[in-house]
Amino acid sequence: MIDGAYFVLVVLGVLGTGLVAGVFCGFSTFVMRGLAALPPAQGVAAMRAINVTALNPPFMLVFMGSAVLCLVIVVVTFVVWPDEGAVELLVGSALYLLGSFGLTMGANVPRNNTLMRLEPGTSEAAAYWPVYVREWTLWNHIRTAASGAASVLYVLAVA
């Protein structure tokens, strides 16, 4: 059974991965659709502004803090190896670390960096914008599912 400080870690993991899933879900379901509906220059400018403001302490604490929690949960799980929930905790952690944090660094951030190098009103930005929206949103759907699944698996581990 998972209890004590270990239980608190897992509950914080549920909260963190669930919050990140919610942020990503918002982007997948309406933010990116709204931005895609704008003329390219406006969409590029808006997304560039979002990317700058996203790097704020509250979001980074939840996003990166959840990754750290997942790592701690993996280590504690291997040390304690509870009778129940170990598989759910390890798979949930892997989903968040690879499918959310890893994809962010490997797929979404490079696209954001490319977008940041483009001036909103240029033909180059206009040509890249639909590609950016399609590819970034696809990877974001996967990040949403991975973060949500991690949260569900953590819940199942303590249920």
Side-chain angles (χ1 to χ4, degrees):
M1 178 172 183
I2 298 170
D3 57 5
Y6 191 23
F7 179 81
V8 172
L9 279 175
V10 176
V11 169
L12 290 173
V14 169
L15 180 61
T17 57
L19 285 170
V20 171
V23 170
F24 291 162
C25 182
F27 268 85
S28 281
T29 58
F30 59 86
V31 172
M32 293 307 290
R33 289 178 188 206
L35 293 175
L38 295 172
Q42 291 175 1
V44 169
M47 190 64 185
R48 285 173 42 138
I50 289 169
N51 287 334
V52 169
T53 59
L55 300 176
N56 65 66
F59 176 70
M60 297 313 289
L61 176 66
V62 173
F63 179 65
M64 296 182 91
S66 295
V68 171
L69 272 171
C70 288
L71 288 171
V72 171
I73 288 169
V74 166
V75 170
V76 172
T77 299
F78 276 118
V79 170
V80 175
W81 201 265
D83 294 333
E84 298 175 12
V87 171
E88 290 88 345
L89 293 171
L90 294 175
V91 173
S93 294
L95 279 170
Y96 186 83
L97 290 168
L98 299 173
S100 182
F101 190 81
L103 274 182
T104 297
M105 297 304 129
N108 294 83
V109 168
R111 284 164 177 79
N112 292 343
N113 291 341
T114 298
L115 193 69
M116 292 303 287
R117 290 190 295 269
L118 302 174
E119 286 302 316
T122 64
S123 61
E124 186 180 19
Y128 182 62
W129 179 240
V131 174
Y132 173 88
V133 170
R134 183 179 63 252
E135 292 176 353
W136 192 97
T137 304
L138 171 67
W139 291 115
N140 194 65
H141 290 336
I142 297 167
R143 296 188 308 169
T144 302
S147 299
S151 187
V152 168
L153 285 166
Y154 283 175
V155 168
L156 292 175
V158 296

